[in-house]
Amino acid sequence: MDNKPVMLIVDDVNINRTVLAQFFHDEFRIVEAEDGKEALKMLEQEAAHIVLVDLMMPVMGGLEFMGVLKSNDQYKGVPVVAMTTNGDQDGQTWAVELGAADFITKPFNPAIVRSRIKNVMGSSENEWRRVAQLAADKQLAEVASYVDNDSLTGLYNREAFYRKASRLIRDNVDVKYEIIYLDVYCFKVINDLFTMETGNLVLKTAAYYFNVLTSSGGLCGRVESDHFVLCVPKGQVRIEHLLEGIDSTMVSLGISHNIVFYAGIYEVENTYMAVDQMCDRARLAMNTVKGSYLHRYAYYDEKLKQLMLEEQMIVRDMEFALQERQFSIYLQPVYNAETGKIVSAEALVRWQHPSQGLISPGRFIPVFERNGFIVRLDRYVWEMVCDFMAELRDATGLLLPVSVNVSRLNLYNLDLLDFLMGLIRKHNLSPEYLHLEITEEAYTQDSYQLIEEVELFRQNGFKVSLDDFGKGYSPLSMLKELPVDTLKLDMGFARRGAQAARGARIMGGLVETAKDLGLRVVVEGVETKEDLEFVTGMGANLIQGYYYAKPMPRENFVELCTKDFLGTDKI
């Protein structure tokens, strides 16, 4: 196949076409037409790379032909060289106005004609390359935008924000920056109470507000579902004004729900620190006030720095601690207040660190939940609990139900049920004695999946408890939809300052509602005789708290059970 570019020569005089064809037959594949009308038909059949057209022709002259080409987008990119007689200034002017790339005059001078055609083709090639480059640049920009921008809000996504914030900070070393991390409190509740579209409206509106706020010298991104992060020059944004502004913006949406943002601020000191670490510090500061009624923002400070150092220690040592069995279970009994007997227990994990001593779960559990290590720790604890129940049974003949915590992350593991059933078979236990505790947080994250999981657990004989009900924003629909066996209420619900009386009344209503639904109720955190009388007065008789016993090592618990059930100090 001839790969030469195509030259269309349009002239009603045959000798002119022949002469020009001779000039260019080595460089081009030549096609010929006697007038503009015939040339248009040929262009419909085959594209040309350059057209040489005489201005004066019968049927359709060159100027009319060029006018048709100019009005048709299909031919706009084809360079046209007009052929005129020497001295035809008007024709040359019209040709240029109609888009001619150049003109050649008769009689033809081979050197001049060749030079002009070569220049036109070079210019055309450059123009084509320029247009192609523009198209490529546009495509790359669109791809970059797709890759860099969050599809819902249009803000930078996590990776793009990290990259661009890093460049902004390092390119402006004379400017002090701060990272502001923001989160909508209990955003999942908005989607549950209203619709997904309402939740999206909140996110898009917040994104627009933050984008305007950072338009002068800063930038912002959406790094998680309802988490936003800003990088702005220090002092440009007053955090109080920012929160007031976002509050007003949310109110303007007319949503009948209080939408609350919390913020954490990290003032950049080391410009070469990774931006993701800066964001972690701002987020750590935010987490210290998240859920607070008194404070909406916090700065990363020396105290938080020490917490971060501790977190680094925890992460550094966690693998070795698991291998060396530094984690152990403590058990806290649940008593029946009517009989004064132990009816079950809750297993709580403790970490006996070789240099730090006994580390409480409040220090390491949040870290493990963030980094995912909680999945392995949960399973380690379940194994120890099943081992303990089998040991207690074999030593005393007692088989006591023990509840274990199931983290939200473990609920996403497809092999969770198989793993639990494996433990039950390994230790020759019945599933009904291993009670699984889930929290309201798991429900607010993904209620539909949790409902399916709980139903599956119960179908296989496990008892399921809903822990910490009422500590957060537990919707009553949770009690209606979630098929649990036991509801665990915290005594602290009735001790909250000036609102204690209202809390106590609500707590009494919850106990009554749970009983009507056929749920067992366990009240945690009962510390005094007054607490005990209060909860038993509302009809709750299953008690867990310091009034009866603190969490204790397994050997102490075995001794306590022996006394409680057998009336002796010896097993």
Side-chain angles (χ1 to χ4, degrees):
M1 181 180 288
D2 191 349
N3 291 324
K4 294 178 181 178
V6 176
M7 174 183 280
L8 173 59
I9 302 174
V10 189
D11 197 319
D12 60 319
V13 180
N14 182 57
I15 188 63
N16 290 338
R17 300 198 305 274
T18 301
V19 170
L20 290 172
Q22 286 298 316
F23 289 169
F24 298 107
H25 73 278
D26 289 337
E27 296 94 346
F28 293 89
R29 183 163 63 84
I30 307 297
V31 292
E32 301 178 16
E34 294 184 359
D35 58 62
K37 191 171 184 180
E38 183 181 356
L40 287 174
K41 290 181 180 178
M42 297 185 72
L43 285 175
E44 289 177 358
Q45 298 172 4
E46 182 178 24
H49 294 83
I50 187 170
V51 177
L52 278 56
V53 60
D54 186 26
L55 296 185
M56 302 298 295
M57 293 180 295
V59 184
M60 179 185 284
L63 293 176
E64 184 180 356
F65 170 76
M66 291 174 65
V68 173
L69 293 188
K70 187 175 182 180
S71 63
N72 192 323
D73 290 339
Q74 182 179 352
Y75 307 124
K76 276 186 176 181
V78 180
V80 177
V81 175
M83 294 183 281
T84 68
T85 57
N86 195 13
D88 184 7
Q89 298 293 329
D90 290 340
Q92 293 173 10
T93 301
W94 278 106
V96 171
E97 289 181 355
L98 285 170
D102 204 344
F103 55 86
I104 54 178
T105 59
K106 306 171 187 176
F108 301 125
N109 181 313
I112 293 176
V113 170
R114 283 177 178 278
S115 178
R116 291 201 170 190
I117 297 303
K118 182 178 180 181
N119 290 338
V120 168
M121 289 300 292
S123 298
S124 175
E125 178 72 10
N126 290 337
E127 179 63 16
W128 177 85
R129 290 182 182 279
R130 188 184 71 83
V131 171
Q133 186 61 48
L134 287 173
D137 291 345
K138 182 180 179 182
Q139 187 176 25
L140 285 172
E142 290 174 350
V143 171
S145 177
Y146 177 79
V147 172
D148 286 352
N149 294 96
D150 168 50
S151 59
L152 176 66
T153 65
L155 299 184
Y156 290 129
N157 59 30
R158 178 198 299 269
E159 296 304 323
F161 176 84
Y162 290 166
R163 187 174 65 253
K164 292 181 181 295
S166 177
R167 187 178 303 127
L168 177 68
I169 292 169
R170 295 183 185 182
D171 288 350
N172 298 276
V173 293
D174 56 332
V175 179
K176 291 287 187 181
Y177 286 93
E178 57 188 12
I179 301 292
I180 304 175
Y181 197 103
L182 298 118
D183 177 23
V184 185
Y185 189 58
C186 289
F187 177 73
K188 181 67 167 58
V189 174
I190 298 173
N191 286 333
D192 288 343
L193 292 177
F194 302 97
T195 63
M196 188 72 73
E197 288 73 21
T198 303
N200 288 343
L201 175 63
V202 169
L203 296 176
K204 289 189 285 188
T205 304
Y208 180 81
Y209 173 78
F210 295 139
N211 201 31
V212 171
L213 202 65
T214 59
S215 59
S216 177
L219 50 87
C220 59
R222 179 185 176 215
V223 293
E224 285 185 32
S225 60
D226 60 319
H227 294 203
F228 298 87
V229 61
L230 284 57
C231 177
V232 291
K234 184 178 178 180
Q236 178 176 300
V237 176
R238 287 192 60 186
I239 190 64
E240 297 88 351
H241 293 169
L242 182 154
L243 293 174
E244 288 173 4
I246 193 64
D247 287 349
S248 299
T249 303
M250 291 297 109
V251 169
S252 70
L253 297 178
I255 300 171
S256 56
H257 183 78
N258 188 26
I259 301 169
V260 180
F261 280 78
Y262 287 91
I265 306 100
Y266 172 72
E267 296 178 347
V268 178
E269 298 174 352
N270 179 5
T271 58
Y272 288 94
M273 177 187 289
V275 172
D276 62 330
Q277 292 181 342
M278 298 179 188
C279 292
D280 284 344
R281 296 186 175 192
R283 183 175 185 171
L284 182 63
M286 180 198 70
N287 286 337
T288 64
V289 294
K290 188 175 178 180
S292 169
Y293 295 99
L294 300 177
H295 305 287
R296 296 271 300 282
Y297 67 90
Y299 282 85
Y300 180 85
D301 55 17
E302 187 62 31
K303 181 180 178 182
L304 287 177
K305 182 178 180 180
Q306 293 305 315
L307 286 175
M308 179 162 283
L309 291 174
E310 179 179 274
E311 179 172 328
Q312 291 173 352
M313 177 275 294
I314 288 171
V315 172
R316 181 192 67 221
D317 295 347
M318 62 188 187
E319 287 283 354
F320 184 74
L322 194 62
Q323 294 172 14
E324 294 298 308
R325 303 183 67 85
Q326 294 174 11
F327 296 104
S328 61
I329 58 168
Y330 275 46
L331 295 120
Q332 185 172 31
V334 175
Y335 280 82
N336 184 325
E338 291 183 341
T339 64
K341 296 290 185 180
I342 298 173
V343 292
S344 65
E346 179 180 0
L348 304 164
V349 65
R350 297 292 186 266
W351 182 358
Q352 187 65 49
H353 193 280
S355 62
Q356 301 290 323
L358 190 64
I359 303 178
S360 73
R363 291 169 60 188
F364 61 84
I365 292 295
V367 178
F368 293 165
E369 287 178 338
R370 288 196 296 272
N371 66 18
F373 190 73
I374 191 68
V375 173
R376 293 173 59 194
L377 182 62
D378 271 359
R379 297 186 176 208
Y380 176 81
V381 169
W382 303 339
E383 174 80 46
M384 285 195 295
V385 167
C386 288
D387 180 71
F388 164 74
M389 286 196 292
E391 177 189 311
L392 182 66
R393 176 199 60 204
D394 296 342
T396 68
L398 301 175
L399 196 52
L400 197 67
V402 179
S403 60
V404 295
N405 290 293
V406 180
S407 71
R408 176 175 52 86
L409 292 179
N410 251 310
L411 291 169
Y412 292 114
N413 283 326
L414 298 178
D415 70 335
L416 176 58
L417 181 60
D418 290 338
F419 182 85
L420 290 169
M421 292 302 296
L423 289 179
I424 294 298
R425 288 192 294 269
K426 176 181 176 181
H427 295 281
N428 194 26
L429 298 170
S430 174
E432 65 185 284
Y433 286 94
L434 184 64
H435 293 187
L436 307 177
E437 289 195 4
I438 57 177
T439 64
E440 66 177 53
E441 181 186 10
Y443 179 87
T444 58
Q445 291 289 330
D446 192 338
S447 58
Y448 300 109
Q449 180 178 343
L450 183 62
I451 290 169
E452 291 179 359
E453 291 272 7
V454 169
E455 288 177 341
L456 195 59
F457 292 149
R458 297 180 78 233
Q459 287 169 12
N460 283 272
F462 292 97
K463 301 293 184 182
V464 181
S465 302
L466 180 57
D467 195 16
D468 293 339
F469 188 82
K471 276 192 172 181
Y473 282 86
S474 311
L476 285 176
S477 60
M478 190 187 303
L479 294 181
K480 178 186 73 174
E481 298 170 354
L482 200 58
V484 297
D485 302 282
T486 302
L487 183 67
K488 299 191 77 171
L489 299 175
D490 196 294
M491 185 64 205
F493 192 79
R495 293 201 201 101
R496 293 178 182 171
Q499 305 301 320
R502 296 180 65 185
R505 185 167 297 180
I506 294 171
M507 188 173 178
L510 288 174
V511 171
E512 185 176 347
T513 300
K515 286 189 171 184
D516 289 343
L517 294 173
L519 304 180
R520 297 167 71 238
V521 177
V522 176
V523 180
E524 301 176 286
V526 176
E527 299 179 355
T528 65
K529 185 177 180 180
E530 289 73 20
D531 289 345
L532 179 65
E533 291 174 349
F534 170 76
V535 296
T536 54
M538 65 176 62
N541 292 310
L542 298 180
I543 310 299
Q544 179 180 343
Y546 282 16
Y547 176 76
Y548 280 112
K550 296 180 179 180
M552 62 192 73
R554 55 192 290 174
E555 57 272 15
N556 293 20
F557 186 81
V558 170
E559 183 180 351
L560 179 66
C561 288
T562 303
K563 291 179 180 179
D564 188 70
F565 284 97
L566 304 180
T568 175
D569 293 341
K570 297 180 180 179
I571 294 178

